[in-house]
Each structure stands twice: as C-alpha cells, then as structure tokens.
C-alpha cells in the first residue's frame, strides 16, 4: 500500500503504469488499484452516481519488491512512501485484503464448452442452452439459448447456470 498526496492517486497510477511499461518491468508489477466505490446522490430530484475513492491518499500495488521496483514506486511523483514502519514496505496480510473486499474467490464450475445447461435464476430462469464460452476472469459464461424460435447468445454469471445431466 502506497501513500500519496491527496488527489494524486490516479496520476500516481498512470505514471507508474507508464514507467513500468517503458522499463519493461511487467514481470514485477501485477496490479495497481485506486479503490473506488459508487455513491448515489439525489440533488434537486435528480439521481446522480459518482465514483468516490475508498481510501483517499492511498494506492494499492500488487508487486514483487526488488531494489529496482521499490525505487521506481518510491520515486514516482506524488508518492510520499509505502505504508509501514521504518524504511521497509510491509505487505498487507491476506486477512486485511479480505476485509477490504479485494479477495478474489476462485469459483469452480462443473460444466464445459458444449455442455447443456439450465438457467437457474435471473430473467431467463428455466431456459436451457448450450455453453459457448467460459470467461474465468470475469466469472461469466456465454450460453446459446433458444428464444422465440432462434438461438440467442447471452452472457450470464457462473452462478446463474447449472449443468444438465
């Protein structure tokens, strides 16, 4: 976790991403996140959705700490330092990451491409289709469903379909 000047979080992220690309250090940096959440505001009867920083003044970086990678982050404009005591950065624990809501929970599915599945919830509940594509990163499955006499591809969450025996 990196501490930045308030308001510089996105600038730090883009500057870091450019530097990493220019120096070809993609193998050491996996993810740079400025945690945001949607905030709905109703003003003068108008509903307005804004993105608000969850941790103003902080940027989360998933990286391998080496002398070079540490130097690059420390010397990025807007960065005031790593979170931790002394000179060494202290990584967040798994429990801390879980509490922040950033944990990626692996989902296991029992169906594959070309399997017949049934939609178990959502607007297409009860429809039967054939799995066309599985996207594990997005946790989505593309299913070809027969609607109104023709095949229609729909994208659904993993949890919305179940394999037919």
């Amino acid at each position: 976790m990196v501490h930045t000047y308030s308001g510089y979080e996105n600038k730090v992220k883009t500057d870091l991403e450019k530097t990493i690309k220019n120096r070809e250090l993609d193998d050491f940096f996996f993810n740079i996140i400025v945690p945001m959440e949607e905030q709905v505001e109703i003003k003068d009867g108008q509903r307005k959705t804004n993105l608000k920083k969850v941790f103003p003044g902080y940027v989360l970086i998933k990286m391998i700490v080496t002398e070079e990678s540490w130097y690059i982050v420390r010397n990025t404009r807007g960065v005031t330092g790593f979170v931790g005591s002394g000179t060494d950065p202290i990584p967040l624990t798994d429990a801390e990451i879980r509490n922040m809501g950033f944990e990626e929970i692996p989902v296991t599915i029992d169906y594959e491409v070309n399997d017949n599945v049934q939609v178990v919830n959502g607007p297409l509940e009860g429809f039967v289709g054939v799995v066309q594509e599985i996207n594990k990163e997005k946790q989505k499955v593309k299913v070809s469903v027969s609607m109104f006499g023709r095949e229609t591809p729909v994208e659904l969450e993993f949890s919305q379909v179940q394999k037919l025996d």
Side-chain angles (χ1 to χ4, degrees), residues 6-10 34-37 51-58:
S6 191
Y8 277 74
E9 300 89 353
N10 291 325
V34 178
M36 307 284 262
E37 68 181 357
L51 280 178
K52 183 181 175 208
K53 292 180 183 91
V54 179
F55 307 113
Y58 293 94

Side-chain angles (χ1 to χ4, degrees), residues 5-79:
Y5 293 125
S6 191
Y8 277 74
E9 300 89 353
N10 291 325
K11 179 95 174 98
V12 165
K13 178 182 175 177
T14 53
D15 287 353
L16 261 175
E17 287 170 344
K18 281 182 195 166
T19 305
I20 291 163
K21 191 172 185 183
N22 290 342
R23 297 201 183 186
E24 297 177 2
L25 292 170
D26 297 328
D27 295 343
F28 296 97
F29 293 87
F30 306 107
N31 213 345
I32 301 172
I33 302 169
V34 178
M36 307 284 262
E37 68 181 357
E38 277 190 8
Q39 187 178 37
V40 178
E41 188 179 303
I42 298 173
K43 202 173 192 177
D44 300 328
Q46 296 290 318
R47 183 185 174 108
K48 191 176 175 186
T49 305
N50 294 326
L51 280 178
K52 183 181 175 208
K53 292 180 183 91
V54 179
F55 307 113
Y58 293 94
V59 176
L60 299 175
I61 303 174
K62 186 173 186 178
M63 63 185 273
I64 296 172
V65 179
T66 63
E67 282 296 318
E68 189 177 12
S69 67
W70 192 43
Y71 177 85
I72 286 169
V73 174
R74 257 195 347 250
N75 291 295
T76 299
R77 270 184 70 175
V79 172

